[in-house]
Amino acid sequence: MSKIRKLLSTLYHAFFNFVLHSFKSINRRIRSKLPVWRMREETAEHVHSSIKVFKWLILPASLFYAFLMFFFFKVNVLGSMLWGLAVFFYSNFLPDLPSIYRRKAADSGVESLPWYKRYVILLFAPLLVWILFSGIRLNWRTTETYHNFKSLTVYSVFLFVVGFFAFIRFPIQTGNLIEVIIFPLYGIAGYLTHLKVDKIW
């Protein structure tokens, strides 16, 4: 039992350090003035919350879902379930990723982005982070914080479209349709977890 706890503790700290290092690198790149202690504190809050929700809700529900899908529809959803779990953890930190293009509402002289560019920043945040580290500077600035239910709705629709093209099989069967519908729920759960930690709801 102690070995299992040690392994879980190691995984927890590896996850925490990965997230913290990632955001420290991003903030260093954009010359953020956010102090390291605050970054560490916020990372700890979100990591702890994501692990807690995963352990008590997402993992049991996923196993139950996989069992029911195989029992009733003879559909193996292991692949989409694993991708869903990855999306859950990713979504726990997604609302903070677009901060590299955020500006204060009081800032002047910066033209507001059209709505579609604002959501490109959210939906393709990892790509834009990669562009940032590639040395390419996009002159995009937005006051959008993405810590709201409108952004969550846009993200949910995006995940449904991604899930449809990734997991749909023709001719479409009931089990396969359920699999496509379930996939975005992982992202919604992760996003909601982040908003809960930040006291948005």
Side-chain angles (χ1 to χ4, degrees):
M1 192 68 179
S2 60
K3 289 184 178 180
I4 295 177
R5 287 182 178 177
K6 187 176 181 180
L7 175 62
L8 293 176
S9 177
T10 300
L11 292 174
Y12 176 89
H13 285 95
F15 181 43
F16 171 81
N17 288 328
F18 170 76
V19 174
L20 180 61
H21 175 74
S22 298
F23 278 99
K24 281 173 67 176
S25 299
I26 292 172
N27 286 339
R28 193 180 304 118
R29 192 75 178 183
I30 63 175
R31 298 174 183 175
S32 171
K33 296 180 180 179
L34 184 68
V36 175
W37 68 265
R38 183 69 186 101
M39 203 183 309
R40 180 179 292 273
E41 182 181 77
E42 189 167 334
T43 300
E45 290 175 354
H46 285 289
V47 168
H48 175 75
S49 183
S50 65
I51 294 295
K52 184 178 179 181
V53 173
F54 170 75
K55 182 170 66 174
W56 295 107
L57 177 62
I58 301 300
L59 182 58
S62 295
L63 295 176
F64 187 60
Y65 156 65
F67 170 76
L68 289 181
M69 289 294 288
F70 187 78
F71 184 80
F72 286 106
F73 302 105
K74 297 296 185 286
V75 175
N76 182 358
V77 296
L78 181 61
S80 63
M81 186 185 79
L82 292 176
W83 276 109
L85 294 176
V87 167
F88 166 75
F89 283 107
Y90 165 73
S91 302
N92 267 276
F93 305 96
L94 175 60
D96 286 339
L97 280 180
S99 62
I100 59 177
Y101 295 105
R102 192 172 300 152
R103 69 177 175 88
K104 295 180 180 178
D107 289 349
S108 58
V110 180
E111 187 178 350
S112 181
L113 288 177
W115 68 269
Y116 62 90
K117 282 189 177 181
R118 291 201 303 271
Y119 290 108
V120 163
I121 291 175
L122 173 69
L123 303 179
F124 299 97
L127 175 61
L128 295 179
V129 170
W130 177 81
I131 289 175
L132 174 70
F133 279 91
S134 297
I136 302 172
R137 305 290 295 185
L138 295 179
N139 191 27
W140 290 10
R141 292 292 181 270
T142 179
T143 57
E144 177 62 65
T145 66
Y146 304 102
H147 285 62
N148 51 60
F149 292 103
K150 181 179 179 181
S151 297
L152 172 59
T153 301
V154 172
Y155 180 56
S156 303
V157 173
F158 174 75
L159 285 181
F160 177 79
V161 173
V162 170
F164 182 86
F165 285 106
F167 303 116
I168 201 68
R169 292 182 292 273
F170 295 98
I172 300 175
Q173 304 290 332
T174 302
N176 184 219
L177 186 59
I178 294 174
E179 181 181 11
V180 171
I181 293 172
I182 290 294
F183 176 73
L185 298 184
Y186 285 96
I188 294 171
Y191 209 109
L192 282 174
T193 302
H194 184 102
L195 297 185
K196 183 66 175 178
V197 173
D198 287 352
K199 298 179 174 59
I200 305 300
W201 63 283

